[in-house]
Amino acid sequence: EHVPEGAKSWKNILKKKFLRREKYDTMVGDCNMEEDCPRMVNTSTDLSGESGTEGGGKKASSAGRSTRQGLCWLLTILVVSGMGISGVLLLMPGEEGGNIETTSDIPVHGPTGNYPRNNSTFSQREESFRAVLGPFSGFEALDKTSTPQHKAFKWIANNDEDRLDVHRTRYDTLLMRYVAALLFFSVQGDKWDSRLNFLSKKSVCEWNEMIYVQSKQKEVKRGIVCDSDGRIVKIELAQNNISGELPWELVSMESLEVLRMPRNNVTGSLPSHLGRLANIHTLDLTSNSLEGNLPTELGWLGRLEYLKLRDNKVQGTIPTEFGKMTNLKRLDLSENRLTGGIPSEIDNLPALRFVDVSDNDLT
């Protein structure tokens, strides 16, 4: 797509001045709902990044207001006219494996860049959440009642016992809870063997349980695991009667280090967006029902050490981009439907200690 001159610079302004502000509450305020006018709420510094000083005079105050108003209107124009272009820039990887932009630059739009007017069937509270989550997942996905995005959006707006205040909740906190709920709805969480506290009133970091694992002769924490800073670092959902496709929105979990869902029924193709999880070191989807080709974007995972996709229905060739995963220690692609040969680039991986590509149609 054609990218207008200056689009990338405005992406940086939006990222630094809106999405990454320490005192950021939400992009949605109490402005006229028919105008879909996003704005900053309860901030103490102007959008130029400089704090106001007492006694600075009417001139400085006027200039600050002018700057704020100008950027607010600019943001409104960008949203209403479509942020698909700048969103594409946010999704672009770097040129070297593992050196891509991290998801602190999380996409500010989903598959569509449109910002449709309010749907009269939504309550005011629902519309507030929709205006925040729509630019991320896509308004079409949120509005279509059959999608997991719609179910997660409706849950967080209406049924979440935590009752988040969209005007006073940090964007990253709201997004983390929404994406965790989206994962639940995407892989039929209501049919899991153990619900693991998903969709409970608890913090997302407590959506887990200690479960005794016979093979390891010890208890392990299953579900979502966070670090001491409250960032999601592990999703452990092994053998839990999971069925369905992984949502691409997992890309927002920029601190994720481990994604394990072996011995389930995960379907569809591996989302190419997983290639933006720059901190992940273990990806284990052994014994599922994955189909389609291996995403070349997985080659961007410069910190990946363990890639286990044994016993699926993956087809196509092994991407040469896998030769960029310089920390890869174990590669298990056995019992799939892969064709072609093993790329020579993989032979030169310095950390690789184990490779299993048996039971495929490789030459």
Side-chain angles (χ1 to χ4, degrees):
E1 293 184 12
H2 174 66
V3 180
E5 185 177 355
K8 190 167 185 177
S9 64
W10 279 116
K11 179 201 77 170
N12 292 330
I13 289 175
L14 292 174
K15 175 180 69 175
K16 293 178 181 177
K17 305 305 182 185
F18 290 88
L19 297 182
R20 300 302 302 275
R21 286 180 62 91
E22 288 299 319
K23 296 191 177 182
Y24 174 75
D25 289 319
T26 178
M27 287 176 65
V28 176
D30 54 1
C31 57
N32 188 335
M33 294 299 292
E34 292 190 355
E35 294 298 325
D36 284 333
C37 173
R39 69 179 183 91
M40 298 298 297
V41 180
N42 194 28
T43 56
S44 60
T45 57
D46 67 31
L47 296 179
S48 66
E50 298 177 357
S51 299
T53 57
E54 219 174 293
K58 294 183 178 179
K59 183 175 181 180
S61 175
S62 175
R65 284 196 301 271
S66 177
T67 302
R68 288 193 295 271
Q69 292 171 355
L71 284 178
C72 181
W73 278 111
L74 177 59
L75 176 60
T76 303
I77 292 170
L78 284 173
V79 171
V80 175
S81 63
M83 293 187 67
I85 295 175
S86 61
V88 169
L89 289 170
L90 289 174
L91 289 170
M92 289 177 64
E95 296 180 358
E96 300 296 331
N99 293 329
I100 62 171
E101 291 184 68
T102 65
T103 47
S104 56
D105 300 331
I106 51 179
V108 292
H109 78 98
T112 72
N114 299 324
Y115 196 97
R117 290 187 177 277
N118 302 328
N119 186 329
S120 59
T121 62
F122 291 133
S123 67
Q124 185 171 349
R125 176 176 171 83
E126 289 173 337
E127 189 59 50
S128 295
F129 279 92
R130 177 176 175 271
V132 173
L133 299 173
F136 175 61
S137 277
F139 290 94
E140 182 178 352
L142 291 189
D143 294 348
K144 191 174 182 179
T145 57
S146 61
T147 66
Q149 286 84 358
H150 177 85
K151 294 175 183 177
F153 144 61
K154 294 283 277 190
W155 172 81
I156 201 170
N158 299 323
N159 304 117
D160 184 2
E161 294 181 22
D162 199 28
R163 298 296 292 178
L164 295 179
D165 186 335
V166 74
H167 302 294
R168 291 180 172 83
T169 303
R170 285 178 55 91
Y171 178 72
D172 53 356
T173 300
L174 189 153
L175 188 66
M176 182 170 73
R177 196 167 181 85
Y178 163 74
V179 174
L182 174 58
L183 175 61
F184 177 87
F185 288 109
S186 296
V187 291
Q188 301 185 36
D190 57 330
K191 297 180 181 179
W192 293 357
D193 291 337
S194 177
R195 191 151 173 165
L196 305 172
N197 286 314
F198 271 67
L199 304 192
S200 69
K201 184 179 180 179
K202 297 180 178 181
S203 161
V204 168
C205 294
E206 297 179 83
W207 287 9
N208 55 64
E209 292 178 1
M210 296 300 296
I211 295 179
Y212 183 79
V213 179
Q214 185 68 35
S215 60
K216 296 185 177 181
Q217 296 290 305
K218 66 177 183 179
E219 286 190 329
V220 297
K221 188 175 287 189
R222 290 276 178 84
I224 290 177
V225 181
C226 297
D227 62 13
S228 58
D229 295 321
R231 299 174 299 188
I232 295 176
V233 294
K234 185 176 183 179
I235 298 177
E236 171 62 71
L237 296 171
Q239 199 169 357
N240 199 34
N241 198 33
I242 286 171
S243 180
E245 299 186 15
L246 297 177
W248 69 266
E249 287 91 339
L250 290 175
V251 69
S252 65
M253 298 181 178
E254 61 174 349
S255 300
L256 191 65
E257 298 175 0
V258 176
L259 176 59
R260 293 192 72 252
M261 297 183 182
R263 300 180 298 283
N264 284 294
N265 189 35
V266 178
T267 58
S269 301
L270 273 175
S272 60
H273 293 79
L274 293 181
R276 296 197 68 231
L277 295 174
N279 290 303
I280 197 167
H281 61 69
T282 299
L283 177 57
D284 185 355
L285 292 166
T286 299
S287 298
N288 279 281
S289 300
L290 290 169
E291 299 177 323
N293 297 335
L294 292 170
T296 59
E297 290 84 354
L298 293 183
W300 304 340
L301 300 176
R303 296 183 182 180
L304 191 65
E305 298 179 9
Y306 302 97
L307 178 58
K308 302 179 182 181
L309 299 175
R310 178 177 61 83
D311 188 20
N312 279 281
K313 302 174 184 177
V314 178
Q315 58 190 25
T317 60
I318 302 174
T320 58
E321 286 82 359
F322 279 22
K324 297 179 180 180
M325 297 187 287
T326 54
N327 284 310
L328 191 64
K329 296 178 180 179
R330 186 182 183 95
L331 176 63
D332 191 347
L333 302 176
S334 60
E335 300 179 47
N336 278 285
R337 301 173 181 177
L338 297 170
T339 56
I342 301 176
S344 58
E345 290 84 352
I346 292 179
D347 295 336
N348 299 321
L349 290 175
L352 194 61
R353 298 291 179 268
F354 177 90
V355 178
D356 189 351
V357 292
S358 61
D359 295 317
N360 281 286
D361 294 321
L362 297 173
T363 56

